[in-house]
Amino acid sequence: DTAVSQTPKYLVTQMGNDKSIKCEQNLGHDTMYWYKQDSKKFLKIMFSYNNKELIINETVPNRFSPKSPDKAHLNLHINSLELGDSAVYFCASSDGTSGRALSDEQFFGPGTRLTVL
Amino acid sequence: AQSVSQHNHHVILSEAASLELGCNYSYGGTVNLFWYVQYPGQHLQLLLKYFSGDPLVKGIKGFEAEFIKSKFSFNLRKPSVQWSDTAEYFCAVRRNNQGGKLIFGQGTELSVKP
């Protein structure tokens, strides 16, 4: 009964490949996020979706394309992987709409460690 | 540039020592403040949060934080740390009308010696 789940947990791949990371939340939340944690453990927002609609896109390369088939899922597809894409990617979810409900908190998934060789 | 700053990169303490981790932010207006903890190999967990009201907030595992608006600070404290508190601690800020995104500090690694 994990609240926010991600698959896979580990992903090792070659440069130039295309890969996807999946995220699902069973909390009934409206908003989902992708964060990237680099090798220095710095966390930065990448995308946010609210009810399947993109609301945040933080100057992420076009090679990254989030897709939200429904409000419980937010997948991250990465084309033409580069060495610099190696990181831990965290999915998160929260209740509320576009930050208007400021009392909501974000729940994080376990992370996907992506290694590009 | 507007940001969230955590003053200590790595803190090493002995068990039973007191802890204070600094966090400052540079945003004006209404903000929500959070401290998250990341135990080795695990995901982020919320320790505590401040939205409004009493500026001294208590969280899980004996942690507390104080919001000082005039200093744009939200420092994390614990009177007596345990070895199990060894983890990475992240301060985060959320601003109104920003789509709910969290802006994180660079993290503080806490190592507690038994």
Side-chain angles (χ1 to χ4, degrees):
Chain A
D1 58 344
T2 305
V4 183
S5 59
Q6 295 178 228
T7 53
K9 190 170 182 180
Y10 300 96
L11 184 54
V12 182
T13 188
Q14 301 285 332
M15 269 199 310
N17 285 351
D18 303 338
K19 291 293 178 186
S20 292
I21 306 171
K22 296 185 177 182
C23 178
E24 176 181 3
Q25 55 94 3
N26 61 8
L27 298 166
H29 287 164
D30 294 326
T31 309
M32 296 183 72
Y33 311 81
W34 277 110
Y35 289 86
K36 179 180 179 180
Q37 186 176 43
D38 64 23
S39 59
K40 296 183 179 178
K41 299 201 174 178
F42 183 64
L43 274 153
K44 193 168 191 293
I45 183 82
M46 298 175 69
F47 299 103
S48 172
Y49 268 73
N50 175 259
N51 280 321
K52 303 193 294 175
E53 182 182 346
L54 179 67
I55 56 173
I56 296 175
N57 183 340
E58 289 282 309
T59 59
V60 177
N62 291 338
R63 299 182 295 104
F64 289 81
S65 53
K67 285 190 172 50
S68 182
D70 54 63
K71 74 173 192 176
H73 296 84
L74 181 61
N75 303 324
L76 184 64
H77 188 75
I78 315 170
N79 290 326
S80 303
L81 278 155
E82 300 178 357
L83 293 176
D85 298 332
S86 295
V88 181
Y89 292 84
F90 286 100
C91 177
S93 74
S94 67
D95 203 354
T97 305
S98 300
R100 286 203 293 269
L102 288 181
S103 59
D104 59 299
E105 65 179 83
Q106 291 182 23
F107 293 82
F108 283 79
T112 296
R113 182 175 292 277
L114 171 65
T115 303
V116 183
L117 303 175
Chain B
Q2 295 180 319
S3 66
V4 180
S5 298
Q6 291 180 238
H7 313 303
N8 313 100
H9 181 63
H10 191 186
V11 173
I12 302 173
L13 294 173
S14 297
E15 275 195 315
S18 64
L19 170 72
E20 180 159 1
L21 301 182
C23 174
N24 284 88
Y25 63 96
S26 59
Y27 303 101
T30 303
V31 294
N32 296 151
L33 299 158
F34 304 82
W35 275 98
Y36 280 86
V37 61
Q38 187 178 26
Y39 297 104
Q42 296 190 26
H43 63 286
L44 282 86
Q45 301 173 41
L46 183 67
L47 273 180
L48 46 78
K49 58 191 177 187
Y50 173 79
F51 295 136
S52 62
D54 188 345
L56 184 62
V57 292
K58 295 192 183 298
I60 61 172
K61 306 185 180 187
F63 286 91
E64 64 178 33
E66 185 175 11
F67 170 51
I68 304 179
K69 189 173 182 179
S70 60
K71 294 185 178 180
F72 296 86
S73 70
F74 189 57
N75 293 354
L76 181 70
R77 299 194 290 249
K78 185 171 183 177
S80 176
V81 295
Q82 300 172 314
W83 176 78
S84 58
D85 293 324
T86 295
E88 192 88 19
Y89 291 81
F90 293 93
C91 178
V93 171
R94 185 175 63 201
R95 304 171 64 198
N96 197 12
N97 295 323
Q98 292 283 309
K101 71 178 181 183
L102 292 174
I103 303 163
F104 285 90
Q106 59 269 54
T108 297
E109 182 182 353
L110 172 65
S111 300
V112 180
K113 298 179 180 179

